[in-house]
């Protein structure tokens, strides 16, 4: 994703949407931010994916306040990209940590102002990685993002060799925030899953709108228009109902949890789990809708020039993300039935 596109996002205040108010940010309530990412993703999935990291400064709210003041010293518009996995061992070095390793999937890293990498020190009992915050000049970016979908995200590898990072520039991902504002009481890991799931929603909306528009055109073979066929109309109707239903659950839970934290109460484990469930279900449903739209498009969909090619590839990536895979259904079911889910969930 070119830096000039990131610059446009900054002008649109996307990269201050999770900057604390006390540091000049304009924090958006999650539903509003998610709707913006949904709309961008209708135009292009990769662009929506990178724009979604305008939410990721909720993680950095766990840094010491003095560190955050330094981070935002030049303004609230900060683009953060992380390559948290695979988590690499770090060793104590004075008042910091010496880190080395290679991390994958750093989406948007070429246009980021700060980068994060996941480390393990043996001191954190939560099971969540300690993230070290770095400047781009401290990191080597290995451009190896050669994938089937979301190609424009530039989710390359990050390499660091023996760098000492001061402790005040590290935080536990999803850890207790040092900022007391409503957005930072919203479940951070669940929010990270939401901003990715909604990208799939935008792509699916675009794919379904495309097939609906194409349904009124004359067939290549001279046969009836697609929209004149009952099977086509049934397929479109089912896909529309599936997508809107998953979207409604997703935004319903978003608003419920936001109302809870906005009045000063913490989100419950059940609420955070429902956010994860709604996100996973949205990612899965969105991909299913795009596949249905691809099939309903018929033979024109196989052409390289067809937008259905990109929709299908991009939508296939979203439910592959670790935050959105089918195992989340199991964990959410565990919370619903009073059984312990896997460690670190939700």
């Amino acid at each position: 994703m070119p830096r000039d596109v990131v610059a446009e996002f900054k002008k649109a205040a996307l990269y201050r949407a999770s900057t604390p108010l006390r540091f000049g940010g304009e924090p958006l309530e999650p539903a509003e931010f998610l709707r913006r990412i949904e709309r961008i993703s209708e135009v292009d999935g990769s662009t929506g994916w990178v724009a979604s990291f305008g939410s990721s400064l909720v993680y950095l709210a766990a840094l010491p306040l003095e560190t955050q003041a330094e981070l935002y010293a030049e303004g609230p518009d900060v683009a953060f990209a992380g390559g948290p996995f695979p988590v690499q061992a770090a060793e104590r070095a004075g008042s910091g940590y010496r880190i080395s390793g290679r991390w994958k999937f750093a989406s948007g890293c070429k246009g980021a102002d700060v980068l994060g990498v996941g480390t393990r020190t043996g001191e954190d009992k939560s099971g969540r990685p300690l993230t070290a915050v770095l400047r781009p000049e401290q990191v080597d970016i290995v451009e190896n993002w050669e994938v089937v979908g979301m190609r424009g995200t530039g989710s390359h590898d990050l390499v660091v060799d023996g760098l000492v990072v001061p402790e005040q520039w590290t935080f536990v991902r999803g850890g207790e925030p040092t900022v007391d504002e409503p957005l930072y009481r919203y479940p951070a890991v669940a929010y990270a899953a939401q901003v990715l799931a909604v990208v799939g929603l935008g792509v699916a909306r675009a794919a379904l709108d495309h097939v609906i528009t194409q349904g009124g055109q004359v067939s290549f073979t001279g046969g009836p228009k697609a929209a004149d066929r009952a099977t086509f109309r049934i397929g479109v109707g089912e896909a529309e109902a599936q997508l809107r239903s998953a979207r409604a659950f997703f935004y319903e839970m978003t608003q419920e949890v936001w109302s809870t934290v906005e009045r000063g109460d913490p989100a419950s484990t059940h609420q955070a789990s429902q956010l994860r469930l709604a996100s996973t279900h949205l990612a899965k449903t969105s991909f299913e809708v795009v596949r249905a739209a691809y099939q309903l498009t018929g033979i024109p969909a196989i052409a390289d020039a067809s937008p259905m090619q990109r929709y299908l590839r991009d939508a296939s990536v979203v439910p592959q993300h670790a935050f959105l895979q089918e195992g989340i259904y199991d964990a959410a079911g565990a919370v619903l039935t009073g059984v312990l889910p896997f460690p670190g969930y939700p």
Side-chain angles (χ1 to χ4, degrees):
M1 193 61 57
R3 279 190 172 272
D4 59 345
V5 176
V6 174
E8 289 300 318
F9 287 158
K10 287 182 176 180
K11 291 179 184 177
L14 282 174
Y15 285 105
R16 63 173 63 187
S18 62
T19 300
L21 189 63
R22 66 182 294 164
F23 296 117
E26 298 175 13
L28 287 176
E29 63 176 87
E32 176 58 29
F33 183 79
L34 291 165
R35 281 191 287 267
R36 295 186 186 189
I37 301 306
E38 177 186 354
R39 180 67 188 96
I40 293 169
S41 301
E42 287 183 41
V43 179
D44 182 73
S46 290
T47 308
W49 191 273
V50 173
S52 79
F53 293 106
S55 68
S56 62
L57 300 180
V58 295
Y59 281 148
L60 274 62
L63 287 167
L65 289 175
E66 297 79 7
T67 304
Q68 292 185 62
E70 184 177 344
L71 178 67
Y72 301 117
E74 296 182 8
D77 301 297
V78 174
F80 173 70
F85 300 108
V87 175
Q88 304 287 353
E91 59 182 23
R92 268 288 183 182
S95 59
Y97 300 97
R98 187 181 306 278
I99 62 173
S100 296
R102 183 166 178 155
W103 294 263
K104 303 191 72 65
F105 309 126
S107 299
C109 57
K110 296 285 286 185
D113 301 307
V114 288
L115 301 163
V117 296
T119 70
R120 182 178 60 253
T121 66
E123 299 173 4
D124 176 42
K125 306 302 181 183
S126 68
R128 293 174 295 188
L130 188 72
T131 299
V133 180
L134 312 171
R135 296 291 181 179
E137 60 269 19
Q138 297 175 303
V139 180
D140 290 325
I141 296 175
V142 180
E143 297 187 30
N144 62 346
W145 186 239
E146 299 171 358
V147 290
V148 67
M150 295 294 179
R151 292 174 176 174
T153 63
S155 304
H156 305 301
D157 287 7
L158 306 179
V159 176
V160 178
D161 185 16
L163 180 70
V164 175
V165 181
E167 185 171 10
Q168 62 267 30
W169 283 92
T170 66
F171 65 92
V172 173
R173 199 162 68 108
E176 194 68 26
T178 56
V179 177
D180 185 20
E181 295 178 19
L183 183 58
Y184 311 101
R185 293 193 289 269
Y186 195 87
V189 175
Y191 194 25
Q194 285 190 284
V195 300
L196 301 180
V198 83
V199 173
L201 172 60
V203 173
R205 182 70 267 165
L208 194 51
D209 287 348
H210 175 76
V211 77
I212 290 170
T213 300
Q214 295 299 304
Q217 297 186 3
V218 177
S219 168
F220 284 157
T221 64
K225 293 185 294 186
D228 291 335
R229 301 170 185 166
T231 52
F232 178 87
R233 297 193 300 268
I234 290 170
V236 167
E238 287 180 340
E240 185 75 20
Q242 289 169 348
L243 191 63
R244 285 182 178 267
S245 297
R247 184 182 189 274
F249 176 33
F250 179 80
Y251 280 111
E252 174 190 330
M253 283 310 308
T254 302
Q255 194 57 56
E256 177 185 318
V257 178
W258 176 249
S259 296
T260 298
V261 300
E262 192 176 30
R263 66 172 177 259
D265 298 327
S268 67
T269 298
H270 173 79
Q271 287 178 319
S273 179
Q274 288 289 289
L275 288 176
R276 298 293 304 275
L277 176 61
S279 298
T280 298
H281 189 61
L282 184 64
K284 178 183 178 183
T285 302
S286 297
F287 182 36
E288 290 173 348
V289 166
V290 174
R291 285 193 298 179
Y294 179 87
Q295 291 177 313
L296 288 167
T297 301
I299 197 68
I302 71 171
D304 283 341
S306 170
M308 291 305 305
Q309 289 283 326
R310 188 177 75 250
Y311 297 147
L312 186 63
R313 292 195 303 265
D314 286 353
S316 74
V317 173
V318 182
Q320 297 295 104
H321 193 279
F323 280 179
L324 299 168
Q325 291 180 7
E326 286 201 342
I328 301 301
Y329 282 106
D330 174 59
V335 172
L336 286 169
T337 56
V339 178
L340 285 177
F342 58 77
Y345 182 86

